[in-house]
């Protein structure tokens, strides 16, 4: 087990918003996670914050689990998965927040899984003229980019400053391009110096190229 995954243990906790499966150590939280918002106090919201309907014994108030604002059932009826807050089950959200969470679903269901599955690249450090064939993947806790070959590297996602995707095949009149690599710049903890890594897709097998292209596309999504 690598050092970045040694503290991946999780625990089930109950909050006012629902059950959450969270890391035991706060330092192991995903950089893509969100904190639960404070709820607008009941006494401060006599009316729905969307349609202005007055609350009474029939029209009950509900809090959106993503923004914490107070709504009537009509304006806050959707239950949508919210993995960024580690909820086990879909939770109640207002229409606006539900739309955002639904758009994020593809990122969590597809891109993150592709990144954690990994792909093979030739990796070049700095200005070196030598490259090493390495398997690159996102750690299970989503905090580190892990590179394994003859060497081993773990780069913390929050330390990455720039991601440049390298492409080929683009023509001035339009046309398709494909991702063939990327250049990362990142800081080493305790230093302000920027380090650089270049990733080049392996051309050995066509399946490797397809997997590498998918991995690079997912990395581009993460860096936006």
């Amino acid at each position: 087990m690598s050092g970045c995954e040694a503290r991946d243990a999780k625990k089930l906790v109950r909050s006012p918003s629902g059950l959450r499966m969270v890391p035991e150590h706060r330092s192991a939280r995903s950089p893509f996670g969100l904190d639960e918002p404070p709820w607008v106090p009941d006494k401060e919201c006599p009316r729905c914050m969307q349609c202005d309907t007055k609350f009474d014994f029939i029209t009950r108030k509900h809090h959106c689990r993503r923004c914490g604002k107070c709504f009537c059932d009509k304006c806050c009826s959707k239950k949508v998965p919210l993995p960024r807050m580690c909820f086990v089950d879909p939770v109640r959200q207002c229409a606006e927040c539900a739309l955002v969470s639904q758009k994020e679903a593809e990122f969590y269901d597809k891109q993150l899984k592709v990144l954690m599955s990994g792909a093979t690249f030739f990796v070049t450090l700095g200005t070196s003229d030598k490259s090493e064939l390495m398997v690159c993947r996102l750690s299970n806790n989503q905090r580190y980019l892990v590179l394994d070959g003859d060497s081993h590297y773990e780069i913390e996602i929050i330390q990455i400053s720039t991601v440049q995707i390298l492409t080929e095949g683009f023509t001035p009149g339009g046309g398709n391009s494909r991702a063939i690599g990327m250049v990362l710049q990142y800081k080493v903890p305790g230093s302000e110096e920027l380090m650089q890594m270049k990733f080049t897709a392996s051309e050995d097998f066509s399946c490797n190229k397809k997997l590498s292209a998918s991995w690079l596309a997912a990395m581009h999504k993460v860096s936006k």
Side-chain angles (χ1 to χ4, degrees), residues 14-77:
R14 182 181 293 278
S15 74
S17 300
L19 288 174
R20 301 170 66 220
M21 185 65 75
V22 301
E24 286 191 355
H25 301 276
R26 188 174 178 83
S27 60
R29 290 183 53 188
S30 166
F32 308 113
L34 292 174
D35 289 324
E36 283 190 82
W39 282 10
V40 174
D42 287 351
K43 63 182 180 181
E44 294 181 12
C45 53
R47 294 176 178 273
C48 174
M49 301 178 77
Q50 177 63 41
C51 69
D52 205 38
T53 296
K54 185 177 181 180
F55 295 123
D56 53 30
F57 287 109
I58 297 176
T59 305
R60 307 292 298 275
K61 60 186 65 175
H62 302 278
H63 286 86
C64 172
R65 272 48 175 174
R66 186 175 182 119
C67 68
K69 294 180 180 178
C70 200
F71 303 92
C72 66
D73 182 69
K74 183 180 178 181
C75 294
C76 194
S77 61

Side-chain angles (χ1 to χ4, degrees), residues 103-162:
K103 288 181 178 179
E104 290 176 347
E106 181 182 358
F107 173 73
Y108 271 84
D109 290 342
K110 295 181 181 179
Q111 275 83 23
L112 277 184
K113 289 181 180 179
V114 168
L115 290 174
M116 288 190 283
S117 294
T120 303
F121 297 92
F122 285 104
V123 179
T124 307
L125 294 178
T127 57
S128 173
D129 57 357
K130 295 182 179 180
S131 61
E132 180 179 341
L133 190 64
M134 308 187 82
V135 175
C136 307
R137 62 181 177 84
L138 189 67
S139 64
N140 291 337
N141 61 20
Q142 304 163 6
R143 291 183 58 86
Y144 294 85
L145 188 61
V146 181
L147 295 81
D148 277 310
D150 291 335
S151 306
H152 176 82
Y153 299 96
E154 295 176 2
I155 302 172
E156 195 168 7
I157 295 297
I158 61 173
Q159 298 294 338
I160 296 175
S161 57
T162 60

Side-chain angles (χ1 to χ4, degrees), residues 166-183:
L166 307 175
T167 61
E168 70 173 10
F170 178 78
T171 59
N176 295 325
S177 62
R178 67 184 183 95
I180 59 170
M182 72 176 177
V183 175

Side-chain angles (χ1 to χ4, degrees), residues 125 153-156 158-161 185-197:
L125 294 178
Y153 299 96
E154 295 176 2
I155 302 172
E156 195 168 7
I158 61 173
Q159 298 294 338
I160 296 175
S161 57
Q185 286 190 324
Y186 63 96
K187 290 183 180 179
V188 177
S191 171
E192 292 300 313
E193 181 182 1
L194 277 179
M195 303 292 289
Q196 180 171 294
M197 272 188 180

